[in-house]
């Protein structure tokens, strides 16, 4: 199947402009970028899409076997790049999609002009042996996944506001809760394990394309130490700490997020 249909791809913006591909995280879809896209369309060809299993993607294309690891999603990203034939793109990956971008750029660096890793985490679980702090203990993640398995809708209602942050703006948490609840629970359970159990720390040093690590000033899911680690591991990368708080700056602070993407991707021309 054509990736453009499978992943419900939309291409907008300036024809012939530098290409920016926006990839959403767990429990979300391309709608999460709607506040950022208008600012990018002035200067870039903008590509948004839904991961298989999310949004308006072709759910018939989803299988537990293919999407039980990040590799299935990476295959999709690379196929999408080939099908669009738009040339090297700046891939903006939010949360778990940041590591999809890392793996895709390691596998086929010629497909990418650069990477923007937005609120990335290569490993959510702390590693006391190396001093790595991912933000969660093994027990924390096991409990999180058990709760998700037992009552996905209840888990969504409890976790989405924590992930979003910005408690003074409850409408943001409500939007993320709604997005989570639209996801098929079976697909969500598999994707949650991929998201929270993957460890891609060793892959970071293999990245050879220009990379911007954009972290939030306060993030319950990906604390500042994680962004600093990603920056330290990727040769020549740049690190910017956004004033935005929470784990979804494209919703909480779309202007600041768009400005960071524009400044980085625009300089790659």
């Amino acid at each position: 199947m054509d990736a453009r249909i499978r992943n419900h791809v939309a291409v907008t913006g300036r024809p012939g402009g530098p290409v920016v591909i926006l990839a959403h995280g767990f429990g979300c879809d391309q709608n999460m970028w709607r506040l950022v896209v208008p600012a990018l369309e002035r200067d870039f060809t903008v590509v948004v899409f839904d991961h298989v299993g999310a949004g308006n993607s072709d759910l018939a294309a989803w299988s537990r076997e293919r999407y039980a690891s990040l590799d299935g999603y990476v295959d999709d990203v690379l196929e999408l790049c080939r099908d669009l034939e738009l040339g090297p793109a700046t891939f903006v990956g939010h949360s778990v999609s940041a590591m999809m971008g890392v793996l895709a750029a390691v596998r086929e660096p010629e497909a990418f002009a650069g990477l923007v890793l937005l609120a990335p985490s290569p490993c959510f679980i702390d590693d006391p042996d190396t001093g790595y702090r991912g933000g969660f203990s093994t027990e924390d993640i096991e409990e999180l996944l058990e709760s998700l398995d037992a009552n996905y809708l209840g888990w969504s209602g409890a976790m989405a506001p924590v992930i979003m942050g910005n408690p003074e703006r409850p409408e943001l948490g409500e939007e993320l809760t709604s997005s989570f609840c639209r996801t098929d629970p079976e697909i969500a359970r598999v994707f949650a394990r991929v998201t929270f159990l993957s460890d891609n720390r060793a892959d970071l040093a293999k990245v050879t394309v220009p990379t911007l690590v954009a972290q939030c000033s306060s993030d319950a899911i990906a604390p500042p130490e994680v962004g600093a680690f990603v920056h330290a591991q990727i040769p020549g990368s740049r690190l910017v700490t956004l004033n935005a708080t929470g784990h979804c700056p494209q919703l909480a602070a779309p202007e600041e997020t768009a400005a960071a993407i524009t400044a980085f991707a625009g300089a790659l021309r």
Side-chain angles (χ1 to χ4, degrees):
M1 178 184 296
D2 188 305
R4 288 169 289 191
I5 298 173
R6 181 191 63 212
N7 292 101
H8 190 60
V9 175
V11 181
T12 61
R14 184 159 73 85
V19 182
V20 173
I21 300 174
L22 306 175
H24 65 82
F26 169 82
C28 303
D29 59 31
Q30 62 183 260
N31 189 54
M32 296 292 284
W33 296 107
R34 71 185 186 281
L35 303 179
V36 170
V37 167
L40 298 179
E41 287 176 329
R42 294 191 290 266
D43 298 307
F44 304 98
T45 296
V46 181
V47 179
V48 293
F49 70 99
D50 296 329
H51 289 303
V52 171
N56 290 309
S57 66
D58 182 0
L59 296 185
W62 187 85
S63 72
R64 181 182 296 271
E65 294 73 27
R66 179 176 176 86
Y67 297 103
S69 76
L70 288 178
D71 289 335
Y73 295 97
V74 173
D75 289 342
D76 287 354
V77 167
L78 292 173
E79 185 177 336
L80 185 154
C81 290
R82 288 190 291 268
D83 282 4
L84 290 176
E85 297 182 330
L86 292 173
T90 298
F91 182 90
V92 183
H94 173 236
S95 193
V96 65
S97 282
M99 291 306 109
M100 296 177 195
V102 163
L103 295 174
V106 168
R107 197 188 301 178
E108 294 186 20
E110 66 279 3
F112 301 96
L115 297 176
V116 177
L117 310 181
L118 184 63
S121 179
C123 180
F124 285 95
I125 299 175
D126 299 336
D127 184 355
D129 291 341
T130 64
Y132 173 79
R133 180 170 180 260
F136 299 86
S137 67
T138 300
E139 293 73 23
D140 290 335
I141 295 299
E142 289 175 351
E143 182 178 333
L144 181 152
L145 293 174
E146 287 172 3
S147 175
L148 187 153
D149 286 344
N151 181 0
Y152 176 64
L153 294 182
W155 178 89
S156 298
M159 279 299 297
V162 175
I163 293 170
M164 179 59 72
N166 296 276
E168 74 285 359
R169 300 164 67 189
E171 69 277 8
L172 295 178
E174 291 166 5
E175 176 170 344
L176 191 60
T177 300
S178 177
S179 179
F180 280 10
C181 291
R182 289 195 300 271
T183 305
D184 179 277
E186 179 187 358
I187 293 172
R189 292 183 185 104
V190 175
F191 198 12
R193 280 166 170 74
V194 172
T195 298
F196 292 109
L197 297 178
S198 293
D199 184 350
N200 298 105
R201 288 176 291 169
D203 297 298
L204 300 175
K206 304 172 188 174
V207 174
T208 58
V209 303
T211 301
L212 174 68
V213 181
Q215 64 180 11
C216 295
S217 58
S218 175
D219 185 343
I221 302 300
E225 297 94 325
V226 176
F229 177 87
V230 174
H231 167 52
Q233 294 297 307
I234 297 180
S237 65
R238 291 175 47 203
L239 173 66
V240 61
T241 299
L242 305 173
N243 291 322
T245 59
H247 192 59
C248 301
Q250 68 271 55
L251 284 181
E255 296 88 357
E256 185 184 23
T257 302
I261 295 169
T262 297
F264 176 75
L268 298 175
R269 302 180 197 184

